[in-house]
Each structure stands twice: as C-alpha cells, then as structure tokens.
Amino acid sequence: MYYVLLSGGSGKRLWPLSNDARPKQYLKVVNKENNSMEHCSMLQRVWEQLGEAGIAGQAVITAGSEQVELIKSQVKEARIAVEPGRRDTFAAVLLSCAWLLKHGASREDYAAIMPVDPYTEGSYFETVKKLEAIMRESGAEVGLMGAAPSYPATKYGYILPGARKDGWFEVRGFAEKPDEEKAGALLKEGALWNCGVFCVKIGDILKRTGTYGVPEDYDALCAAYESLPKISFDYEVLEKAEHLAAVEFNGYWKDLGTWDALADQMSTDTIGNVVLDDTCENTQVINELKMPVAVMGTRDLVVVAAQDGILVADKSQTANVKAVASAFDTKPMFEERRWGTLETLDDTESQGQTTLTRKICIYDGMTSSYHYHEHRDEIWTVLRGTGELILEGTKIPLSQGKAVCIRKNQRHAVKAFHDFEYIEIHVGTSSGNEDINRITFHWDEIELSHIL
C-alpha cells in the first residue's frame, strides 16, 4: 500500500506565524514524539513517525509548487506530487493516484490518503496500515479511519458506525460539526471523530477522471487540472458511496488548527525571547522577533509575535483568527526555502520606484538558482560566512564585509560554503519574487557558464 500526505491551504488560522509562503504544517513549534523538548514542524514529526512505522519509503506528499522548496528544506528525501493549482481534496486525490501510477504503482494497488499534519502517536500509522486488508475483506468503495473521541468535540465531524465486523465496521453515515448537545448524543451512539483518513484502490478512483473528460496520465492530468471540480473528496465521493468500511483508532489524535489547540501541546509556555512572569495563568507566548516580549498579569491568552504581525487573543476566540487575518493584504515577511531562509526588513514604493531590503541565509553547501532580473538592480553585503557568486560566468569569492552590485539582466547564482548570510537590497520598478527569471537550479550546469 502507498501513503499520500495531502498538504494544502495557507493555514491562516495560525496567523501571524503561518501565511501563503509558510503554512501551518511547516511551523517548527510542535515537539518531537520521542523528545518533548525539541521543536520540529508538523510535517517533520509525521515524517519521522512514518519512518518508525516502516512506511516512509512508500509515502508521497501532494502539494502545490509553491511548497516544494519548503518541503525539501525540512524533509530532503520526500517524494512530491506537484499539484498545479488548488482544486480541493477530490482533485488532489486523483492527481496523487495518477502520480503513483506513473512512478511504479499498479491499478490494483491501494493508497491511504491522510492529512500531512495530525498531532498523534505512532499507533495511528499502525492503524492506517490495516486499511488495505479491510478494503479487501469488505469490498468497500472506500476505507476510513476514525478516532475514538475523548470528549464531545464540536470542531470535528463524526463517522456514524453501522454493523460491527471482526476488526472493522460498516459506515452508516456522517455528521457535520455538531453543537455540544448533539456531540454528546453522538458519543453515546459510538460515533468516531472523522480524522480525514481514507483508503482507495488506485485504478478505481482514476476511473472517475473520465466523468470530467480528463486523462488518467499524471502529466496530461496536470495540464487539464482546471477542468476538475473544486470540491472535497467527502462531498464528491464519500457522501455518494453506497458501501464504506472503517477501522477505529484508539489513541491520541488532535487537529492543531487553532492557537488554543497548539498552545496545549507546547512543552514550555514560551518560545523565543520572552519574559512571562508568575502572575500569568494559562498563557503561552511565541516570539520570532529579535526584540523582547514581556507579558504580565494575563489569563487564558495566546500571544504571538512574528514578522507578519502580532496576535494577542483570548484562547476562546482563537477560532476567529483566520477571519481577522484575511483582512490584511500583505506579503509574507518571512519565508523558508529549500536552500535557507528569507526575511524582509523593509519594502518601500515611491513614485514608481521600489526598494526592498531583506536578509537572506543560505545553508552550508546549498545554492540558489541561476537567474536574472529584468526590472531591478541588487546590492549585496555579506554579514557572515563564505560563498561563491557566479555573475555572468565569472566566479567571485564572497566573505564577511564584501559587497557586490548585480545589474538588471545579469545572470547570477550563489553557493554557500559555510552558513552564508547577506543583506540584499532591490532597487527598480519591481522587487521580490515577482521579477525572477530562472535558468537552472543545477550547480554543475551553472558552473558550465563559467567555463563557457
């Protein structure tokens, strides 16, 4: 069986840390399962758990092209099925199965589809492994996994159980997020939290492409992706299916989709340069900024300070953060890439001219692409580390204190020999990621430009 991790959305419920460039699953604020004091991202935690379950080699992450570099920076060995646009989970499942078929799977193989960011324990993945056998035994169209509830939650959907079998049960139906009274009644019925895990036969699910006149081939499907409906797998498949089977997961599971839920999993009440005095109660503070944050006399608060903004919220109101954040139309101020990090310090536009100042860190041995800019000049000043710039085929050594000017249309790339940090200033009529014309990512090809 294959395992697909769906990674989509911008995760604005965790603003100001999460944004379009850094969705929630990539925030390094959760704890490793086997080390409660070491922080990692939700993706890194899940990938480590997949490895411990012995199934990472059969796993693929389905994500948009804008997330590829971020995934590679956190899980270098990950295989990625690139989604050409956001069409919700039904289209993402079709694309994932087409990618698997292209890369060695057969139409008779099964694929377990799951979110990329559950906060759970190792037994969760051992339970997922059971879905293939349940599919074969039951003959179900789709196999599901539900978590045994620990309280009458109102923020989760529920799977309603039907007839019980040996190790699995038939699915009678579903219940959307209920009110507290309804949730209590669902628990008495034996309903399970719907944790978004399901299993399909690859060939069967790909037959559905014909309904929309798109091909099963991965590359051709990508080209016709906009023809697929923008609808969830739940609505398009599960609610229309006549025969569904499910397995129960008895263990810890939580969706860390809001700040109050995430704060509950923090091993300490503070991250970053924070003073939280002993008059505070049930308060967690995360500070990504260089300046200190002091919090006194608070109760039931989450405080988050980041480059994109500052959040001070009562924990009971954190479900509304996404709506508040949607009112801000700003560019991400911090991005994590395959090669390092990028922090915007200033972005100014005046009389048609733009200046952008940002701090860039390139990790040991990593390289940028070979590219050029049509509408801006760049001035670099090296803060620390050593590296090498190839500028129009000429190699230029870089070290602390060195400065260089790169003019419009000059092809260039940089490689870090040791953690390499520099200030980059853009001056022109456009700036940032809007004016990048990439030639190649491969350093051996870039070095050829030096020879030629």
Side-chain angles (χ1 to χ4, degrees):
M1 186 163 69
Y2 293 90
Y3 302 85
V4 176
L5 303 178
L6 295 184
S7 179
S10 60
K12 289 185 178 179
R13 288 183 294 173
L14 294 182
W15 181 89
L17 285 193
S18 64
N19 53 42
D20 288 336
R22 189 171 58 149
K24 68 171 184 175
Q25 57 267 33
Y26 306 111
L27 302 177
K28 295 179 181 178
V29 292
V30 297
N31 309 311
K32 290 189 173 184
E33 185 178 3
N34 56 5
N35 186 341
S36 62
M37 299 304 294
E38 186 176 352
H39 293 125
C40 64
S41 70
M42 300 180 201
L43 168 64
Q44 289 172 318
R45 179 184 163 97
V46 165
W47 195 266
E48 184 175 335
Q49 290 172 320
L50 287 171
E52 291 171 353
I55 56 177
Q58 292 81 51
V60 59
I61 301 171
T62 298
S65 58
E66 70 280 0
Q67 294 184 20
V68 170
E69 286 197 353
L70 193 46
I71 293 169
K72 286 294 187 182
S73 75
Q74 296 195 359
V75 183
K76 292 181 173 58
E77 68 273 22
R79 299 193 300 166
I80 305 171
V82 179
E83 193 179 9
R86 293 181 181 176
R87 306 299 296 171
D88 217 318
T89 52
F90 173 66
V93 171
L94 290 181
L95 181 103
S96 302
C97 289
W99 189 95
L100 289 170
L101 198 62
K102 178 181 177 179
H103 291 84
S106 78
R107 298 180 65 85
E108 298 301 312
D109 285 329
Y110 290 85
I113 317 292
M114 66 189 87
V116 74
D117 55 1
Y119 192 83
T120 187
E121 57 192 46
S123 58
Y124 171 97
F125 300 94
E126 296 301 326
T127 306
V128 173
K129 288 181 182 181
K130 299 177 182 178
L131 285 172
E132 179 178 2
I134 289 168
M135 287 282 288
R136 294 184 185 279
E137 181 181 342
S138 66
E141 298 169 59
V142 183
L144 305 173
M145 187 177 83
S150 55
Y151 68 98
T154 59
K155 59 184 178 180
Y156 301 141
Y158 287 77
I159 299 173
L160 308 180
R164 295 277 177 177
K165 307 293 182 179
D166 184 16
W168 58 278
F169 60 88
E170 295 178 351
V171 175
R172 176 164 52 88
F174 301 92
E176 293 293 338
K177 298 175 183 177
D179 58 30
E180 192 167 346
E181 182 180 354
K182 177 63 174 176
L186 288 170
L187 261 62
K188 292 178 181 178
E189 294 179 34
L192 303 178
W193 287 338
N194 189 347
C195 44
V197 177
F198 47 89
C199 181
V200 297
K201 182 183 281 190
I202 291 174
D204 289 350
I205 203 67
L206 284 177
K207 289 178 184 176
R208 295 175 180 267
T209 58
T211 304
Y212 304 99
V214 297
E216 295 183 3
D217 174 75
Y218 170 73
D219 296 310
L221 180 58
C222 285
Y225 206 58
E226 292 297 314
S227 301
L228 291 171
K230 196 170 186 178
I231 190 171
S232 73
F233 187 85
D234 290 15
Y235 290 140
E236 182 66 9
V237 178
L238 296 184
E239 292 195 355
K240 299 176 183 178
E242 296 181 358
H243 187 194
L244 301 173
V247 63
E248 181 174 331
F249 166 59
N250 289 286
Y252 186 82
W253 173 84
K254 197 168 188 178
D255 176 12
L256 302 186
T258 57
W259 274 118
D260 61 325
L262 184 57
D264 286 345
Q265 306 307 320
M266 290 173 57
S267 56
T268 61
D269 288 334
T270 64
I271 295 177
N273 189 5
V274 176
V275 173
L276 184 70
D277 79 358
D278 55 12
T279 63
C280 297
E281 296 180 27
N282 191 28
T283 295
Q284 283 77 38
V285 185
I286 297 175
N287 180 20
E288 278 199 337
L289 304 177
K290 301 294 189 297
M291 64 185 72
V293 171
V295 181
M296 299 177 289
T298 62
R299 177 181 294 177
D300 302 328
L301 286 189
V302 174
V303 180
V304 185
Q307 286 88 344
D308 283 6
I310 297 174
L311 171 71
V312 181
D314 187 287
K315 289 186 176 181
S316 66
Q317 299 299 311
T318 56
N320 301 319
V321 168
K322 181 178 180 180
V324 173
S326 296
F328 302 128
D329 184 22
T330 56
K331 298 177 182 177
M333 301 294 282
F334 183 84
E335 301 178 43
E336 189 175 348
R337 303 287 184 84
R338 167 188 57 84
W339 41 260
T341 60
L342 186 156
E343 178 184 351
T344 298
L345 306 177
D346 180 70
D347 190 355
T348 303
E349 185 174 349
S350 177
Q351 298 179 340
Q353 288 291 308
T354 297
T355 59
L356 176 74
T357 304
R358 54 192 188 182
K359 182 188 289 185
I360 295 176
C361 178
I362 302 181
Y363 301 140
D364 284 0
M366 299 302 291
T367 69
S368 73
S369 65
Y370 194 45
H371 62 280
Y372 63 93
H373 314 287
E374 294 184 52
H375 305 290
R376 71 169 184 254
D377 297 331
E378 292 184 352
I379 301 97
W380 295 8
T381 303
V382 181
L383 301 178
R384 64 184 179 92
T386 58
E388 182 177 76
L389 171 70
I390 292 184
L391 178 62
E392 284 294 321
T394 299
K395 286 187 175 181
I396 302 172
L398 296 176
S399 57
Q400 187 177 41
K402 291 285 186 69
V404 64
C405 181
I406 299 170
R407 298 297 185 183
K408 297 182 185 71
N409 295 310
Q410 286 189 318
R411 297 166 298 170
H412 59 283
V414 63
K415 181 174 184 177
F417 296 146
H418 301 285
D419 275 358
F420 184 68
E421 190 173 69
Y422 62 99
I423 296 293
E424 179 181 87
I425 301 175
H426 302 178
V427 181
T429 56
S430 71
S431 62
N433 302 331
E434 301 164 359
D435 181 21
I436 299 179
N437 300 279
R438 292 187 172 90
I439 300 168
T440 180
F441 281 97
H442 303 292
W443 191 253
D444 54 351
E445 294 179 12
I446 297 170
E447 287 194 307
L448 280 175
S449 69
H450 170 65
I451 299 170
L452 300 174

